[in-house]
Amino acid sequence: MSAMHAPHIPHKTLTIAGSDSGGGAGIQADLKTFTSLQSFGTSVLTSITSQNTLKVDGIHPIPAAFVSQQLEAVLSDIGTDAIKTGMLCNAEIISAISATLQKFYPGSRPVPNLVVDPVMIASSGAALLDSSAIAILINDLLPLCFILTPNVPEAEYILANAKLENPMFTSASGKIESLEQMKLAAQDLARLGPSIVLLKGGHLPFYKASGKALPQELFNSVDDLSVDLEELELVDLIYDARSKECVELRKEFLRTSSTHGTGCTLSAAIAAELSHGLEAQEAIAKATNYVQSAIRDGLTVGQGKGCLNHFHHVVHRSIEKPTKYNPQPLTNYLLKACEKDWKEYTEHAFVQGIADGTLPKESFIHYMKQDYLFLQTYARAHGLGAFKAQTMEESKAFAEIVVHIAHESKLHIDYCARWGITYEEIINTPESMANVAYTRYVLDIGMTGGLLDLGLAIAPCLIGYGKIGTRLYNDPNTVRGDANPYWDWIKSYNDSSYQDAVVRGVANLERQCNIQQPSEHRLKQMEDIFRTATRLEVSFWDMALNCL
C-alpha cells in the first residue's frame, strides 16, 4: 500500500479592495500579482467601479455587512498568510473590516502581515475614499497594520487629519517637498500604529545629478518625452518603528504613462512576498523591483494611461518598449544582430568609391539606371503598405514616403541627364538579376506577410541610404564639391527631406513592433527578413561595381 502524502498547502494572500473593470488596478491587479509571485490569491470585494484607462465614471460600494460576510468566509476556511487592503470606499466598510479582523485575530494575536495601501484618489483624479472615512481609517485600521504604503499626497492627507501632538513633520503648506521631510513624515505616520511605513516617492522624483526635487509644476510633464528633463531618480523610504531605522530605496524614475495600478500592484507584491515568510525589508525590496520591471514593460491597452505588465517575468518582452534613452529599440536590435552584413552594406567598396570620387563612371551609370527601376517597385511596396495599414496615420506615413520616392526618382532622371543618359534609355534598360531578386523579394514579403514584415523588408534601403548619406557628408575624408562627381548624390541622401522620410519610416516600424510584441521565434523571423534585405543591398552594390 502506498504511503499517504500530506497535501501541498500553498502560500496564501488575501486582497480586500475594489474592482477595476479596466483590469489595471484593484483586485484584478492584485490577483495577477499574487499569481505572478506564486501566492494563492483570495479576495474580498469592497466596491465595483466602472472605469477604463481614461476615467472612473461610477462607483458602487458593496454593503458593509456583505463585505464582512466575504471576509469571514475566506478566513474561516482558507485562512491567509498575508492581507492587503486597497480601495475601502467608506467609513462603514472600514469599520466592518476592522471589526471582522479583530474577531478572527483577538487580543495579542496580530493580524497576519496586514499591508494597508491607503487608496484615496485614482490616477485619473477620481476620489476613491469618502472624506468622512479618513478618521476611521486612522483610528480603527492603522493600529492593526504591519506595513503602511502611502504615496506623498496620501501621506500629506493622512497627517493633515491625524491631529498628532508635537508632529515631527511641519510645513505651512502641508506639502512634503524634500527627502528630509519624507523622513519626518514617515516617522509621524508610524505613530498611528503601523510597524513599518513605506513612503513611496513616485510623486516626488529627484534630479539624479543634484539631488534636488523636481518642481511640482514640471511633474505633470514627466511622461511627455518631448519635454527635455535631466535624469530623474525615485526614492522610496522605509521607516521601521521597531528599530527606528530609515532605509532609502533608490531607482531610476521611469518616464512613462504606463503607471495605472502601480500602488495596488506594489502593496499586493509586498503582501505576496510576506506570505512566503520574507522579512519586511526584503519583501519590500523584492516587491519594488518587481513593480519597476512591470512598469518598464508596461502595456498600452486603451487611449489613456497604460497598465503594468504583471507577468513581465513570466513572458519576457523580446524587444523593450521605446524610451527616451532608447527610442528605437527594434531598429537598434536589428542593426546589432545583423552587424556584419550591415557593415558590408554601408561600407561597401561602391560606397567608398562614391566618397572619394574614384568609382568608375560606367559603374555609377549602370547603378543609376537600375536604381530608378528599383525605385518604381519600391514605391509600389510602400503603396502596398498604405493598403495594408489599419489606421489613417499609418497610411499617411507610407503615402508620404511614396511621395518622397517620386521626388527621388525625378532627381535620378535629372542626375542621369547630366551624365548624358536619356529617360528613354533608363526605362528601356533590362532589370539586372540582382534587381529582380531584391524587388521581388520585397513584394513577396509584402504580399504574404503582415505590415511589420513589409516594413522590415524595405527598412535596410531606407535606413541604410540615410546613414550612408549622413556619414559621407560629415566625414572630413570625403571629397567634396566639383572635385567629386558624386557629391550631389551624397548631399541628396543627407538632405533633410530624405532624413525626415527615414524618421517617419523608422517610427512606423517601431510602432508596429510595439503593437505586435514578437515572441522569440517571431523575432528571429523578423531578423531573417531584415538580414536578407540587407544582403540583397550588398548584391545590388556588387552588381553595379562588377558591371564592367
Side-chain angles (χ1 to χ4, degrees):
M1 191 168 100
S2 61
M4 296 291 291
H5 294 281
H8 168 69
I9 300 176
H11 303 291
K12 294 169 284 190
T13 309
L14 165 64
T15 172
I16 307 173
S19 169
D20 173 5
S21 56
I27 62 164
Q28 286 85 348
D30 295 342
L31 292 173
K32 292 174 191 175
T33 302
F34 296 162
T35 301
S36 183
L37 297 177
Q38 301 180 43
S39 188
F40 181 80
T42 55
S43 61
V44 169
L45 204 60
T46 60
S47 60
I48 301 170
T49 69
S50 169
Q51 64 175 293
N52 53 30
T53 63
L54 297 170
K55 62 184 177 180
V56 178
D57 59 13
I59 300 175
H60 180 70
I62 302 297
F66 192 69
V67 173
S68 291
Q69 186 176 339
Q70 294 177 75
L71 185 53
E72 289 201 22
V74 173
L75 295 179
S76 63
D77 174 36
I78 302 168
T80 192
D81 299 307
I83 304 172
K84 73 142 285 187
T85 65
M87 177 184 174
L88 301 181
C89 211
N90 58 43
E92 292 77 14
I93 290 175
I94 297 173
S95 293
I97 291 169
S98 300
T100 305
L101 288 175
Q102 291 180 81
K103 172 183 174 181
F104 276 86
Y105 305 100
S108 60
R109 185 185 177 198
V111 177
N113 295 318
L114 176 59
V115 180
V116 174
D117 178 17
V119 177
M120 297 175 184
I121 299 175
S123 56
S124 62
L128 302 178
L129 183 70
D130 288 351
S131 58
S132 61
I134 185 65
I136 306 300
L137 178 77
I138 292 171
N139 296 326
D140 291 5
L141 191 60
L142 294 192
L144 307 177
C145 173
F146 179 43
I147 300 178
L148 177 66
T149 66
N151 58 34
V152 166
E154 290 165 347
E156 292 167 348
Y157 189 67
I158 291 171
L159 291 176
N161 288 273
K163 301 180 175 58
L164 286 171
E165 293 184 9
N166 303 315
M168 300 184 70
F169 167 69
T170 56
S171 168
S173 66
K175 299 293 185 182
I176 299 170
E177 298 176 317
S178 68
L179 184 57
E180 188 57 36
Q181 287 183 326
M182 285 180 69
K183 293 178 180 179
L184 297 175
Q187 294 175 66
D188 281 346
L189 289 166
R191 292 170 61 189
L192 301 177
S195 301
I196 295 172
V197 174
L198 171 63
L199 182 47
K200 300 175 295 189
H203 287 73
L204 188 64
F206 296 91
Y207 291 116
K208 189 170 184 179
S210 66
K212 295 181 179 179
L214 177 74
Q216 281 301 299
E217 59 268 22
L218 293 178
F219 181 73
N220 290 334
S221 301
V222 293
D223 60 355
D224 182 356
L225 298 184
S226 67
V227 178
D228 190 28
L229 294 173
E230 295 177 33
E231 188 174 357
L232 298 172
E233 187 174 46
L234 170 72
V235 182
D236 290 328
L237 196 70
I238 304 173
Y239 177 70
D240 191 328
R242 302 165 300 181
S243 64
K244 312 300 181 188
E245 181 184 14
C246 200
V247 176
E248 299 172 13
L249 298 180
R250 294 178 177 267
K251 288 181 172 60
E252 175 192 1
F253 184 91
L254 300 175
R255 295 186 63 188
T256 174
S257 61
S258 295
T259 54
H260 178 55
T262 301
C264 302
T265 300
L266 178 58
S267 55
I270 293 171
E273 297 291 4
L274 290 172
S275 79
H276 288 276
L278 271 61
E279 293 296 325
Q281 282 199 24
E282 184 181 1
I284 292 172
K286 291 189 72 171
T288 55
N289 287 336
Y290 168 81
V291 170
Q292 184 83 344
S293 296
I295 295 173
R296 191 186 300 277
D297 288 347
L299 305 171
T300 302
V301 296
Q303 302 172 61
K305 282 188 174 293
C307 301
L308 280 63
N309 180 1
H310 296 90
F311 301 112
H312 62 274
H313 65 317
V314 178
V315 180
H316 293 283
R317 287 181 69 101
S318 55
I319 296 293
E320 67 178 77
K321 289 187 67 176
T323 66
K324 176 184 178 182
Y325 306 104
N326 187 13
Q328 299 169 358
L330 174 63
T331 305
N332 290 333
Y333 169 84
L334 292 170
L335 293 180
K336 184 173 180 60
C338 305
E339 187 174 9
K340 180 183 176 184
D341 298 305
W342 190 258
K343 181 179 175 68
E344 186 178 355
Y345 161 37
T346 58
E347 298 180 20
H348 195 278
F350 184 93
V351 176
Q352 185 54 43
I354 290 279
D356 58 23
T358 61
L359 181 72
K361 175 183 176 182
E362 293 78 10
S363 290
F364 187 72
I365 290 174
H366 184 64
Y367 157 76
M368 289 296 288
K369 291 177 181 178
Q370 293 296 324
D371 200 43
Y372 181 84
L373 300 176
F374 171 84
L375 288 176
Q376 289 182 313
T377 303
Y378 197 56
R380 290 169 57 203
H382 282 82
L384 180 59
F387 170 75
K388 290 197 166 208
Q390 299 298 308
T391 68
M392 184 60 72
E393 182 182 7
E394 290 171 348
S395 294
K396 181 173 180 285
F398 277 106
E400 286 174 342
I401 295 177
V402 171
V403 171
H404 181 82
I405 293 170
H407 173 69
E408 186 182 352
S409 298
K410 178 65 166 57
L411 291 177
H412 270 54
I413 294 171
D414 295 342
Y415 204 82
C416 285
R418 282 186 254 162
W419 289 72
I421 307 165
T422 65
Y423 175 68
E424 289 72 19
E425 188 178 350
I426 296 173
I427 61 175
N428 288 319
T429 299
E431 281 187 276
S432 70
M433 287 301 100
N435 205 346
V436 171
Y438 193 0
T439 55
R440 291 350 179 243
Y441 176 76
V442 170
L443 290 177
D444 181 59
I445 290 293
M447 292 296 292
T448 59
L451 194 59
L452 180 56
D453 297 298
L454 175 60
L456 292 164
I458 60 183
C461 178
L462 181 69
I463 299 170
Y465 273 63
K467 288 187 177 293
I468 290 169
T470 299
R471 179 172 64 82
L472 297 188
Y473 185 85
N474 294 307
D475 187 346
N477 295 318
T478 296
V479 177
R480 307 163 108 65
D482 293 340
N484 187 344
Y486 311 119
W487 177 242
D488 284 345
W489 184 94
I490 295 171
K491 287 195 299 181
S492 68
Y493 288 107
N494 181 67
D495 186 77
S496 61
S497 63
Y498 187 85
Q499 294 297 325
D500 288 345
V502 174
V503 170
R504 288 193 298 271
V506 169
N508 202 32
L509 194 66
E510 296 290 342
R511 183 167 51 249
Q512 285 297 320
C513 180
N514 202 33
I515 293 170
Q516 307 171 32
Q517 178 62 204
S519 65
E520 293 294 337
H521 176 70
R522 171 67 172 136
L523 183 60
K524 183 64 171 62
Q525 291 178 325
M526 292 162 57
E527 182 184 322
D528 287 343
I529 293 172
F530 187 86
R531 177 178 282 107
T532 299
T534 301
R535 294 301 312 164
L536 288 166
E537 282 286 352
V538 174
S539 297
F540 204 89
W541 292 141
D542 289 341
M543 169 270 300
L545 200 60
N546 298 326
C547 71
L548 301 180

